Amino acid sequence: MAGGDGHGRSSPEDDADHYAVLGLPSGEEGSKLSLKEIEKAYRNQSRIRHPDKRPNDPNATADFQLLTSSFEVLRDEMSRCCFDAKLRARRERVLRDSLQDAKRRKMSTDLDERERSAAAAVDPAEEGRRKEKMKADELKREIAEFKARRAKKASEPNGKEKAAEEKVGPGLDKGRMLKVTWETSAGDYSAAKLRGIFARFGIVEDVVIRSKNSKKKASAIIVMASKDAVVRAIQSMSGDTTNPLLVLPLEPMAPSFSSTSSTNHNESMGPEFNNVVGAGFQNYEAFVMKKLKEAIDKKKNIR
């Protein structure tokens, strides 16, 4: 039997069913045919398929060559036995593949059936409750995250205020700091100008102009060398009706001073200022506005 074309490729004879080429039954039935039956089939096919009988068929020669080759395989006892074994192996492989495909199809069908049965077994009411619980849990989680963000935001100081405090240095005593606010229409107050204004109340350690977040107002942080200087600055500037600056302590002052000397010093500044300190500067801005209004009314009465 032919073994190929010499380049590793199989020839038509290698894949051909030689029994079928001769028009004979194949498989187990073909293996039981006698040599005379095979020779008779070959002669009949030769008369029909000879190239001389098919002058207009371009495949006539190749077909006749295949017919002759198949006959040579089947007429030789050894080559016919090898071919029969080859056919059996081919049939067994086809059967095995078919069984495997059938098994896979059955497994797939069984799986689909189990999934349908499981879906049918689920109580619609129970499924609805499960979905509602999932939604409720998701909502609770979102609410908890929202509350956590709000609590964190509430615990953090104002971003710009914190940035200004960080510029003047961490760990400084806030009791020595002043927050100064003014209307931009009143003029442009630079760090050097503010330093000059507050230097008359004591040593000015630092001045930080805050980023302007409004076209109408501006502010700054003034760091004095002592708390006494802070008190003097507030006392002096709150009493000046012509002063365009609103001066407030960065940190509310204690209602009273622990030592006698501090108390006496506080009292020496006058009852009006003492009242403000006693209130802890909680309403200091309102106090300043009230004093400004009183001063304006007094001027009007004089005129």
Side-chain angles (χ1 to χ4, degrees):
M1 184 169 58
D5 61 1
H7 296 284
R9 296 187 297 270
S10 61
S11 63
E13 291 86 351
D14 292 332
D15 298 324
D17 184 341
H18 300 304
Y19 291 108
V21 171
L22 270 66
L24 295 168
S26 186
E28 292 298 327
E29 187 177 353
S31 64
K32 296 175 181 179
L33 294 170
S34 64
L35 180 58
K36 286 185 177 181
E37 291 174 312
I38 293 172
E39 290 175 345
K40 181 180 178 181
Y42 172 67
R43 286 195 298 270
N44 292 336
Q45 292 294 324
S46 294
R47 286 194 296 269
I48 298 170
R49 295 159 63 180
H50 195 279
D52 293 342
K53 299 288 184 178
R54 298 183 291 170
N56 298 323
D57 186 354
N59 298 319
T61 301
D63 180 61
F64 189 78
Q65 287 175 348
L66 179 59
L67 176 66
T68 303
S69 176
S70 295
F71 174 65
E72 293 297 331
V73 169
L74 296 179
R75 71 183 296 187
D76 182 78
E77 184 178 355
M78 183 64 67
S79 62
R80 182 181 177 185
C81 287
C82 292
F83 177 68
D84 287 341
K86 181 179 178 181
L87 281 184
R88 280 195 298 273
R90 187 183 298 174
R91 289 195 303 270
E92 289 172 359
R93 183 172 62 252
V94 170
L95 178 61
R96 185 172 58 253
D97 292 344
S98 177
L99 291 174
Q100 288 179 349
D101 289 342
K103 186 177 180 180
R104 281 194 291 268
R105 285 195 298 270
K106 187 176 185 306
M107 289 176 63
S108 178
T109 302
D110 291 344
L111 180 60
D112 292 341
E113 183 62 29
R114 284 196 297 271
E115 288 178 350
R116 283 194 295 270
S117 299
V122 175
D123 183 4
E126 181 63 29
E127 181 66 12
R129 286 191 291 271
R130 185 183 68 82
K131 289 182 179 179
E132 287 297 325
K133 185 177 183 303
M134 288 177 62
K135 290 179 181 178
D137 291 343
E138 180 67 15
L139 182 60
K140 286 180 182 178
R141 184 185 65 78
E142 291 178 358
I143 291 173
E145 290 178 355
F146 175 73
K147 288 182 177 179
R149 287 195 298 268
R150 283 189 60 184
K152 183 179 179 181
K153 188 174 181 180
S155 65
E156 292 177 349
N158 178 274
K160 292 185 174 63
E161 191 78 27
K162 184 179 179 182
E165 291 176 26
E166 288 174 350
K167 285 182 181 178
V168 299
L172 289 180
D173 183 3
K174 291 183 180 179
R176 296 191 288 109
M177 297 183 191
L178 292 164
K179 179 181 177 183
V180 182
T181 308
W182 66 93
E183 299 284 342
T184 54
S185 60
D188 184 17
Y189 286 85
S190 63
K193 187 174 181 179
L194 289 170
R195 185 182 290 273
I197 293 172
F198 285 89
R200 54 197 174 98
F201 307 116
I203 298 172
V204 179
E205 291 187 350
D206 203 353
V207 178
V208 177
I209 305 292
R210 291 179 57 193
S211 300
K212 295 180 181 180
N213 57 355
S214 170
K215 292 181 179 180
K216 295 183 178 181
K217 287 188 177 183
S219 62
I221 299 294
I222 312 293
V223 184
M224 305 300 292
S226 67
K227 292 182 180 181
D228 288 345
V230 169
V231 173
R232 286 193 294 272
I234 294 173
Q235 179 187 22
S236 175
M237 303 204 62
S238 63
D240 185 359
T241 57
T242 63
N243 171 40
L245 302 175
L246 175 61
V247 182
L248 295 170
L250 186 64
E251 185 176 68
M253 292 185 175
S256 59
F257 298 96
S258 58
S259 66
T260 306
S261 60
S262 296
T263 304
N264 293 337
H265 176 72
N266 191 36
E267 290 174 351
S268 68
M269 294 179 183
E272 292 179 356
F273 187 76
N274 187 51
N275 290 337
V276 177
V277 174
F281 287 94
Q282 296 295 327
N283 299 312
Y284 182 74
E285 189 171 358
F287 169 79
V288 171
M289 296 304 295
K290 180 182 177 183
K291 288 298 179 183
L292 288 173
K293 187 175 183 301
E294 289 175 356
I296 292 170
D297 292 343
K298 189 174 182 180
K299 268 188 176 181
K300 288 180 180 179
N301 293 333
I302 293 173
R303 289 177 185 176

